[in-house]
Amino acid sequence: MTLSQRVTLVAGLGYGSNGMTLGVVSFALLGLRADWGLTPVQASMVTASVGAGQLLGGITGGYIADGIGRRAAFGLTVGTNCLGAAAAAAAPSLGWLVAAMLLLGIGFGALTPVATSLISEFAPADRRGALLGWTQVLWATGWLVAGVGGLLLAGNLGWRGTLAIGAVPVALALIGPRLIPESPRFLLAHGRRREAEALVAALGQRYGVTLELPDQEQASPASMIAHLRELWGPRFRRRTFLLWTVWFTMIGAFQGPIIWIPAMLEGAGARHPGVASVLVALMMLPTTLAVTLTLDRFGRKPVLAAALGFAALGSIVAAVARTEAAFVIGAGALAGGVMASWPVILAYSAELHPTRIRATATGWASAAGRGGGIVTPLLLAALMRTWASGRFQALIIVAAALVFAVGIVLVFGEETAGRGLEETAAFRAEVI
């Protein structure tokens, strides 16, 4: 196994744990709905709290990773996610559950900027997109494992046992940082050249690989607000607008209709909502695999626009569906298209910023997306007064948002495939 593959595998397992955790939340809603009689409004509080946590985690996780390093931040984020899942499994009340989901979301949201920066800083330029794509294949696999586990074990475990599955990856939080090195680019950006050179020499002896040590823009102490002002300054604002818009739309679609699919199916009278949800989860894998295998060949911009467009089409089909089969097909296309967008937006987020601010910028972009994870469940709750009504309006709005995101990609997107990180992040004043 090469060094870049090893780093990708460990980081990808972190993503897989996130997918599994979010999956068990989705499938636990069925048991919670039966046990506690959750209404759509109460369910929106649960899922929106996950989104709020992801927002906080995205901001803080990226900032911490740019401050203390990628390895330590990785263990911290996975551990926080698992702690939140364990607390949710023990929830005696709705208020406790919402607070636990907030903690779970913080760990979930913090992982993205940490793992994305870690992989991109070790990946060869011509395979960076594919390696980031494989992490999302693992994410989808984690969701699928949660779905199959929830389907097979829900009767024995109940919703508490289902949520407790989300705490299992705590082992990765303890072992993961020991299996991967610190990023030499991070060390260089913090003026630690001797450490970077020694690390590169050691990695060369162990893995037979020669890592580049390109000059980095030097990091300096700055607050999160200062970084935010820089991201919206002349250098980065065009890229920031693109990333924030796409992240907001993607996560809004996932935290809203995709997580709600099991409950929406049951509310619509589906005989086997759990089975149908597993089928939807299965449809995430082929689209994510397709993007992973083509992203470096065809480029970021066309692949991202195609994936988002496919998701929009799926949302329309699910909105107008008159049968369970049609709804499952539409929901699968929606989930598959959104999932396929993830490798591209992760690559974009990593490639458009220098090392000194890479994790922070990715964190702010993902945090903006988590805003979509808060707003969309609340919007669905306002439109769907019961589990069987308002589905058309809700899914049409999601489709319109996805179409808008496609337009933003076509207008503001730039091609970064196959280019070095220092080249793609080079200074260029941008005008919107």
Side-chain angles (χ1 to χ4, degrees):
M1 181 181 293
T2 66
L3 175 60
S4 60
Q5 289 171 340
R6 184 188 183 95
V7 171
T8 300
L9 176 61
V10 173
L13 289 173
Y15 275 114
S17 72
N18 273 5
M20 186 172 69
T21 301
L22 197 59
V24 298
V25 171
S26 177
F27 285 90
L29 284 177
L30 286 175
L32 281 163
R33 181 172 177 266
D35 256 13
W36 289 2
L38 286 188
T39 65
V41 171
Q42 290 172 323
S44 74
M45 294 171 59
V46 174
T47 51
S49 65
V50 178
Q54 289 173 310
L55 188 154
L56 294 173
I59 296 171
T60 57
Y63 185 74
I64 290 170
D66 280 336
I68 69 173
R70 311 321 192 198
R71 284 202 312 167
F74 178 80
L76 182 62
T77 59
V78 176
T80 302
N81 189 1
C82 295
L83 180 61
S93 65
L94 181 61
W96 176 301
L97 182 63
V98 167
M101 290 297 182
L102 180 70
L103 181 63
L104 180 153
I106 289 173
F108 190 115
L111 177 73
T112 297
V114 177
T116 300
S117 298
L118 188 63
I119 294 169
S120 66
E121 289 165 11
F122 279 100
D126 61 346
R127 292 192 291 124
R128 191 167 52 237
L131 290 175
L132 286 166
W134 283 114
T135 67
Q136 300 313 292
V137 173
L138 288 171
W139 195 104
T141 302
W143 179 286
L144 183 60
V145 167
V148 174
L151 181 64
L152 297 178
L153 302 176
N156 296 322
L157 296 179
W159 64 266
R160 293 187 187 277
T162 302
L163 286 174
I165 294 174
V168 171
V170 69
L172 182 65
L174 301 174
I175 300 173
R178 300 175 182 272
L179 300 177
I180 52 178
E182 185 53 86
S183 164
R185 277 185 164 92
F186 168 82
L187 296 174
L188 286 174
H190 285 260
R192 297 157 63 180
R193 175 165 285 276
R194 288 186 179 179
E195 291 181 57
E197 291 174 345
L199 175 60
V200 167
L203 293 174
Q205 289 181 347
R206 182 172 182 181
Y207 294 99
V209 62
T210 301
L211 295 179
E212 295 181 2
L213 285 175
D215 290 335
Q216 302 293 314
E217 296 180 19
Q218 290 300 293
S220 58
S223 68
M224 288 187 285
I225 299 301
H227 283 317
L228 183 61
R229 285 198 295 267
E230 182 181 5
L231 292 175
W232 282 103
R235 178 177 181 181
F236 294 121
R237 62 189 173 206
R238 182 187 180 98
R239 296 169 173 180
T240 299
F241 179 70
L242 164 69
L243 292 173
W244 285 33
T245 300
V246 176
W247 272 99
F248 184 94
T249 307
M250 287 169 48
I251 296 180
F254 225 105
Q255 296 289 108
I258 296 175
I259 287 185
W260 283 32
I261 283 171
M264 291 170 71
L265 282 166
E266 190 174 62
R271 293 184 179 181
H272 303 290
V275 174
S277 298
V278 169
L279 292 176
V280 170
L282 279 170
M283 293 174 72
M284 297 182 195
L285 285 174
T287 56
T288 309
L289 277 171
V291 166
T292 297
L293 297 174
T294 59
L295 180 55
D296 288 318
R297 178 182 301 177
F298 297 113
R300 317 308 193 218
K301 185 173 178 177
V303 173
L304 181 57
L308 292 171
F310 185 65
L313 178 62
S315 190
I316 293 171
V317 171
V320 301
R322 297 291 183 87
T323 66
E324 181 179 344
F327 180 81
V328 169
I329 291 171
L334 169 61
V338 171
M339 197 67 230
S341 304
W342 235 276
V344 197
I345 203 63
L346 290 178
Y348 253 157
S349 299
E351 292 164 345
L352 296 178
H353 302 94
T355 299
R356 64 175 177 82
I357 198 177
R358 179 169 294 119
T360 300
T362 303
W364 272 111
S366 67
R370 311 309 174 182
I374 298 170
V375 171
T376 306
L378 298 177
L379 175 64
L380 293 185
L383 295 172
M384 297 176 58
R385 294 298 181 181
T386 69
W387 289 110
S389 65
R391 187 180 75 191
F392 174 81
Q393 296 92 324
L395 291 174
I396 287 297
I397 289 175
V398 170
L402 288 164
V403 171
F404 177 75
V406 170
I408 295 299
V409 170
L410 294 177
V411 173
F412 293 106
E414 54 190 285
E415 195 50 68
T416 57
R419 299 165 63 191
L421 290 177
E422 287 65 43
E423 179 187 358
T424 59
F427 178 81
R428 179 166 66 86
E430 299 176 338
V431 179
I432 293 182

